[in-house]
Amino acid sequence: MLNDSVDSIKGVGGKFTEDLAALHIYTVEDLLFYFPYRYDVFEIKPLRELIHDDKVTIEGKVIHQPSLTFYGKRKSRLVFTLEVENVAIKAVMFNRPFAKKQIAPNDIVTLTGKWDAHRLQITVSNYKKGPAENHASIQPLYSLKGDVTNIKLKKAIKRALNDYADQVEEILPESYLKSYKLPNRLDALMTMHFPANRTELKHARRRFTYEEFLLFQLKMQLLRKMKREATHGNAQQYDSKKLEEFIDHFPFSLTAAQQRTLTQILLDMKSPYRMNRLLQGDVGSGKTAVAAICLYGTVTAGRQGALMVPTEILAEQHYESLTELFGERAKIVLLTGSVKGKKRKEILEAIEASTVDIVIGTHALIQDDVFFADLGLVIVDEQHRFGVEQRRTLRDKGLHPDVLFMTATPIPRTLAITAFGDMDVSVIDEMPSGRKEIETYWAKENTLDRVLQFIEQRITYGEQAYVICPLIEESDKLDIQNAVDLYEQLQAFYPPSIHVGLMHGRLHSDEKEDVMKRFAANEIQVLVSTTVVEVGVNVPNATIMVIYDAERFGLSQLHQLRGRVGRSDKQSYCILIAEPKGEVGKERMRIMTETNNGFALSEQDLKLRGPGDFFGKKQSGVPEFKVADMIHDYRALETARSDAQEIIEVNALDNDQEFANLKTILVKVETLFNKLD
Ligand code: ADP
Ligand code: MG
């Protein structure tokens, strides 16, 4: 059986078994599907094509007896001459004295090693007697631990393949193999470990890439279906007339993209299924307006709505703007960690008694003592900052509201359909009209005075600026010290007529609120701040964003910060002060200066950082694929997704014998359900 313990393979036991366990190889199947992480391809090329310092493979005839010299403690050097294409090549082999006996004049040998083009010399790392068989050999390289060597592992895999091959079953339907021209599972498996040539290997990888994607997408689609079915009976009968009247009184008309996404969300709310939707839109694309309309929808349906945001500043800001926007239409309260004592008690009672329609707050609004009378809709802003835990808490409270996640970190499509494959996705892909592109510059520290003068000049035009402080990663305290220092420095630099403000996470919430209010009212012209203003903060009159130590931020975060400006029809500027040391850092600065488009940027970010890092480790929810690469293989991913959708839609897993093996694998989906919710 494939799930026999690995030590049932001949030659596997004792310490070797332990070492394999350290690699998470416990069963025969684990071993068979332990794929190489890389392949070395040795290919014989004409001498003139060899590149200096590259690892190369050559084949030739030995023309002199090798000479061996010893030096140091047990060190040796073996030198011999080789004729390749009528040229004499010197071969040097270190610390393999035994090779002297194996290599004799007139032998044909194949050598791999580092090429020195100036001396026509190869430093051999690998040699083989005889000619290279097919002028290309592909060596799989496995990740190793303990005493496991590549050779030992290959031996064990070879045995396992010999003894268990007949048990490796196909799981993909025959018709799929045919139409995608994929090798069958066993052939592909053998090729992964013992590839004969590149073409074969390519197809084997293509097969496992598709298999991994399809399995994953099937799980996602099943989950989505289960979630939908589990939440039947949740239709919200909102009042369209009232919504229209509400929208009419906005100071602007909705963009086509806002309208489209709004329709999608409202349809979800009206449907009997619980909504599980992600709303993506670049910073400033107007998600908050859409959110407000949806919240009003819930209110007109006689239920309560909640808007959950990641920071207190943002909660307060939303509270103010929504209170103004809603007027008498809804009773709105603010519930954050700093609402305490009697006030908190009153608010909690009102929420429970249903005299409150909309609650805006940080995660404080999902704490144990908060009971909603009838929660119809929850909107989670900047959802990537929320832990999976917090999202679950809400649902564990016996509440089954429609849930809308909003994010301004545009998630590349590849990630969206993997990490969020079980969600529906709406995208606002259009900016309100009249916006100008933010001009972004990359400046060195020694140009700082000019930057500060530039700010001063814009202030004379009535505009305002953010200055984001240098970042010290390990320490919140030092960050604040930096902010204070910079604040004092700018105060000294500017005339008294220019008011400099200071904002950081340790300020009391009253103080924060006060600073933000004064900045919004243009009583403060320059706001020195830590990254607490990163998300959502909306002061349209601010047109300059200066970011210190910009090289320490990821692209998405820089884009978020930049999104604090460019929120009106005035020309805005973003100045990145950075002295990046590495290439990645420089590349980031270049990308920032070249693109304003959040989606393009996040695709680049994904490439620079890799999928695991994109959301931060903890809550990534991005699966680790063995063979597949979400970025390179995105076409296969798209194919797998639409195949999975079709399979689930027509219920092929239950109805079609061809899918029986796939179904067997997928029964474990229940556990996944718990993990992902
Ligand atoms: P987001 O939350 O997506 O970053 P906001 O909802 O904060 O964006 O909107 C940014 C700014 O654009 C706000 O000042 C908002 O009033 C304004 N706005 C939103 N929708 C429109 C629109 N359709 N036309 C003009 N301005 C808009
Ligand atoms: Mg927002």
Side-chain angles (χ1 to χ4, degrees):
M1 297 275 287
L2 286 182
N3 58 9
D4 286 352
S5 158
V6 263
D7 54 16
S8 47
I9 298 167
K10 253 178 289 158
V12 178
K15 173 75 165 52
F16 191 27
T17 318
E18 281 168 38
D19 287 340
L20 288 177
L23 293 164
H24 303 288
I25 300 171
Y26 309 100
T27 65
V28 174
E29 186 167 18
D30 294 340
L31 181 68
L32 286 176
F33 288 87
Y34 191 72
F35 292 147
Y37 73 94
R38 188 161 74 77
Y39 297 84
D40 263 349
V41 180
F42 304 118
E43 194 174 6
I44 301 202
K45 291 185 187 148
L47 280 182
R48 65 188 143 73
E49 281 180 26
L50 300 185
I51 294 168
H52 179 66
D53 266 357
D54 260 11
K55 196 173 182 185
V56 302
T57 299
I58 56 176
E59 180 198 300
K61 190 163 80 174
V62 179
I63 41 182
H64 288 300
Q65 188 66 40
S67 80
L68 180 65
T69 43
F70 286 90
Y71 63 99
K73 245 194 194 172
R74 274 190 271 161
K75 285 189 178 153
S76 74
R77 190 178 131 102
L78 186 73
V79 180
F80 56 96
T81 317
L82 197 69
E83 187 193 302
V84 181
E85 297 171 29
N86 295 320
V87 179
I89 304 295
K90 190 167 156 193
V92 183
M93 212 185 286
F94 288 100
N95 306 324
R96 266 182 279 189
F98 47 84
K100 182 174 165 53
K101 289 202 194 100
Q102 300 169 344
I103 295 169
N106 290 324
D107 279 353
I108 301 291
V109 291
T110 304
L111 307 175
T112 298
K114 194 165 151 181
W115 178 238
D116 183 330
H118 310 306
R119 299 193 208 162
L120 297 180
Q121 175 176 317
I122 182 167
T123 307
V124 179
S125 56
N126 200 316
Y127 76 98
K128 214 169 62 166
K129 287 193 66 170
E133 285 120 21
N134 44 22
H135 281 247
S137 100
I138 305 177
Q139 287 301 325
L141 296 175
Y142 299 87
S143 313
L144 305 166
K145 267 196 182 141
D147 298 334
V148 182
T149 60
N150 223 47
I151 294 175
K152 261 169 107 175
L153 200 61
K154 270 172 77 172
K155 246 190 201 150
I157 291 171
K158 192 161 207 160
R159 287 227 178 85
L161 275 170
N162 272 335
D163 298 349
Y164 291 86
D166 54 337
Q167 295 183 37
V168 175
E169 279 189 80
E170 184 53 72
I171 59 170
L172 296 177
E174 193 57 41
S175 55
Y176 280 41
L177 297 184
K178 262 211 189 104
S179 62
Y180 297 138
K181 297 196 171 56
L182 297 173
N184 73 49
R185 199 155 194 252
L186 179 60
D187 286 350
L189 184 62
M190 297 211 267
T191 302
M192 290 300 285
H193 296 295
F194 302 99
N197 56 56
R198 278 200 241 211
T199 320
E200 216 173 71
L201 180 60
K202 193 177 92 191
H203 291 302
R205 296 182 61 128
R206 215 162 50 78
R207 186 229 140 84
F208 285 114
T209 295
Y210 177 76
E211 177 182 316
E212 282 188 309
F213 282 154
L214 184 71
L215 279 172
F216 183 73
Q217 289 296 339
L218 279 171
K219 283 178 192 167
M220 282 301 188
Q221 299 302 323
L222 267 178
L223 251 175
R224 181 166 169 267
K225 192 176 161 196
M226 283 163 69
K227 280 187 185 174
R228 280 176 77 91
E229 284 167 0
T231 60
H232 204 83
N234 191 36
Q236 302 206 51
Q237 302 301 339
Y238 57 83
D239 183 333
S240 323
K241 276 240 166 58
K242 282 189 180 164
L243 288 194
E244 266 162 41
E245 176 267 334
F246 185 47
I247 295 167
D248 280 346
H249 108 152
F250 280 18
F252 46 75
S253 49
L254 297 182
T255 62
Q258 279 172 316
Q259 243 149 13
R260 187 187 62 237
T261 50
L262 182 64
T263 308
Q264 289 166 346
I265 297 166
L266 288 175
L267 263 176
D268 274 1
M269 286 173 62
K270 203 166 218 163
S271 93
Y273 300 112
R274 184 159 50 127
M275 170 165 70
N276 185 31
R277 186 174 283 277
L278 181 69
L279 174 60
Q280 294 192 59
D282 209 344
V283 269
S285 62
K287 293 182 297 298
T288 311
V290 173
I293 299 164
C294 299
L295 285 169
Y296 189 45
T298 285
V299 175
T300 66
R303 306 181 67 182
Q304 292 169 303
L307 175 60
M308 188 152 77
V309 299
T311 66
E312 291 201 0
I313 296 181
L314 198 52
E316 275 150 21
Q317 185 185 291
H318 277 319
Y319 173 69
E320 300 214 333
S321 61
L322 290 191
T323 309
E324 199 188 310
L325 194 64
F326 273 84
E328 295 298 309
R329 290 179 184 81
K331 170 100 177 86
I332 304 177
V333 295
L334 179 67
L335 187 61
T336 61
S338 41
V339 177
K340 291 199 177 99
K342 195 163 155 254
K343 183 137 187 240
R344 181 176 169 89
K345 201 163 157 259
E346 275 169 24
I347 289 179
L348 293 186
E349 279 168 9
I351 294 172
E352 202 172 346
S354 205
T355 51
V356 158
D357 299 312
I358 295 171
V359 185
I360 296 170
T362 52
H363 56 261
L365 69 78
I366 55 163
Q367 273 161 16
D368 286 344
D369 56 346
V370 187
F371 298 101
F372 287 87
D374 185 9
L375 189 59
L377 172 68
V378 175
I379 299 180
V380 182
D381 197 9
E382 304 305 339
Q383 67 85 30
H384 63 289
R385 311 194 126 222
F386 273 90
V388 176
E389 270 315 305
Q390 289 159 324
R391 281 147 56 178
R392 195 185 301 155
T393 309
L394 195 83
R395 296 178 196 179
D396 283 354
K397 294 178 77 144
L399 301 167
H400 303 285
D402 283 326
V403 182
L404 179 69
F405 298 100
M406 301 201 296
T407 180
T409 305
I411 300 165
R413 183 160 165 75
T414 40
L415 270 189
I417 66 177
T418 45
F420 300 104
D422 61 325
M423 282 190 184
D424 298 299
V425 179
S426 295
V427 184
I428 304 184
D429 51 4
E430 174 190 5
M431 286 296 197
S433 60
R435 295 280 167 79
K436 293 195 177 69
E437 290 244 310
I438 300 166
E439 285 178 21
T440 302
Y441 300 99
W442 169 15
K444 301 277 163 73
E445 253 163 65
N446 58 17
T447 60
L448 202 58
D449 276 5
R450 273 170 52 203
V451 172
L452 296 182
Q453 279 157 15
F454 175 70
I455 295 177
E456 188 170 357
Q457 189 202 356
R458 303 306 307 181
I459 288 173
T460 61
Y461 301 144
E463 298 168 17
Q464 292 165 275
Y466 295 92
V467 179
I468 304 299
C469 297
L471 185 72
I472 293 174
E473 270 171 51
E474 299 80 23
S475 162
D476 209 22
K477 239 193 205 137
L478 287 177
D479 276 345
I480 288 164
Q481 190 51 48
N482 262 330
V484 174
D485 289 349
L486 186 61
Y487 165 72
E488 284 168 359
Q489 195 187 323
L490 294 195
Q491 249 182 343
F493 183 91
Y494 288 123
S497 60
I498 293 180
H499 298 126
V500 183
L502 174 64
M503 171 68 87
H504 58 69
R506 292 282 177 87
L507 289 182
H508 192 271
S509 67
D510 292 348
E511 293 171 297
K512 278 190 221 163
E513 198 177 335
D514 182 58
V515 173
M516 276 324 290
K517 265 197 190 129
R518 289 197 297 146
F519 188 58
N522 199 0
E523 287 161 25
I524 289 171
Q525 285 78 42
V526 180
L527 183 63
V528 174
S529 176
T530 57
T531 55
V532 291
V533 296
E534 182 191 342
V535 285
V537 167
N538 188 28
V539 178
N541 192 52
T543 56
I544 303 165
M545 169 59 70
V546 178
I547 306 171
Y548 271 80
D549 282 357
E551 75 272 18
R552 300 212 188 176
F553 297 97
L555 276 177
S556 298
Q557 205 180 1
L558 288 173
H559 183 63
Q560 281 287 329
L561 285 166
R562 178 168 64 182
R564 296 314 106 215
V565 298
R567 302 179 78 83
S568 70
D569 53 5
K570 292 198 189 89
Q571 179 59 55
S572 287
Y573 307 88
C574 174
I575 298 158
L576 307 168
I577 300 176
E579 314 259 351
K581 301 212 170 54
E583 268 315 303
V584 174
K586 285 180 190 154
E587 183 63 19
R588 272 198 205 124
M589 295 308 118
R590 277 194 288 269
I591 294 170
M592 279 297 291
T593 56
E594 281 161 18
T595 174
N596 258 295
N597 178 315
F599 276 91
L601 213 123
S602 73
E603 295 280 358
Q604 302 271 12
D605 204 18
L606 180 63
K607 276 184 199 150
L608 286 179
R609 284 204 281 176
D613 257 11
F614 194 81
F615 298 106
K617 286 261 163 354
K618 225 172 90 197
Q619 42 192 317
S620 84
V622 180
E624 298 223 351
F625 296 111
K626 278 190 191 171
V627 181
D629 177 324
M630 292 189 335
I631 300 164
H632 285 108
D633 306 322
Y634 73 94
R635 279 213 201 98
L637 180 61
E638 299 266 0
T639 309
R641 178 170 166 88
S642 66
D643 289 346
Q645 271 168 344
E646 196 186 305
I647 292 170
I648 299 299
E649 224 158 82
V650 304
N651 211 1
L653 292 178
D654 291 328
N655 301 335
D656 192 337
Q657 197 47 39
E658 258 203 322
F659 292 84
N661 283 345
L662 265 183
K663 190 185 169 177
T664 317
I665 291 181
L666 284 165
V667 284
K668 292 177 199 141
V669 78
E670 217 93 15
T671 31
L672 192 89
F673 190 36
N674 291 331
K675 253 196 342 226
L676 278 170
D677 195 28

